[in-house]
Amino acid sequence: NASSSSCSSGSTRVAEGEDGGLHVSVTMPSLEVGTVGGGTTLPAQQAALRMLGCAGPNAQSPGRNADRLACIVASTVLAGEISLLAALTTGHLVKSHMQLNRKKG
């Protein structure tokens, strides 16, 4: 479902010079996650949700476990985006593709 897989990422320079920084963010407005029901009761999925600390419902704060899982997914996507930026900046992405013969022609 394309409508539930939209994601936008962005980066902004936050300061100039040696002490400057970069703000990188991802926005996932239609991320659908679940921590109860369906396949979440299967052993492997249940174990993974437990490892992440978001298995099942949260009795004190309904929806908190799903929010936590969504944050984990978005954080993972953000890490991938930062890794991709680094690989593009250093030229490693192109070098790797060339070394692994992923060039067509």
Side-chain angles (χ1 to χ4, degrees):
N1 185 341
S3 66
S4 66
S5 61
S6 66
C7 176
S8 64
S9 60
S11 59
T12 306
R13 180 192 255 168
V14 292
E16 301 269 340
E18 200 173 295
D19 294 330
L22 187 66
H23 178 264
V24 183
S25 64
V26 295
T27 302
M28 304 179 80
S30 302
L31 181 61
E32 300 172 10
V33 297
T35 61
V36 295
T40 65
T41 60
L42 297 171
Q45 287 78 347
Q46 189 63 215
L49 288 170
R50 269 196 303 275
M51 280 192 296
L52 296 172
C54 50
N58 185 313
Q60 290 80 22
S61 182
R64 179 174 280 169
N65 287 348
D67 288 345
R68 177 179 170 81
L69 181 57
C71 285
I72 291 168
V73 170
S75 298
T76 304
V77 170
L78 180 61
E81 290 294 306
I82 292 170
S83 177
L84 179 60
L85 278 172
L88 287 169
T89 302
T90 60
H92 292 161
L93 185 68
V94 173
K95 276 188 223 167
S96 296
H97 279 271
M98 297 303 283
Q99 286 175 346
L100 296 170
N101 200 24
R102 292 186 178 157
K103 56 189 178 290
K104 299 286 182 195

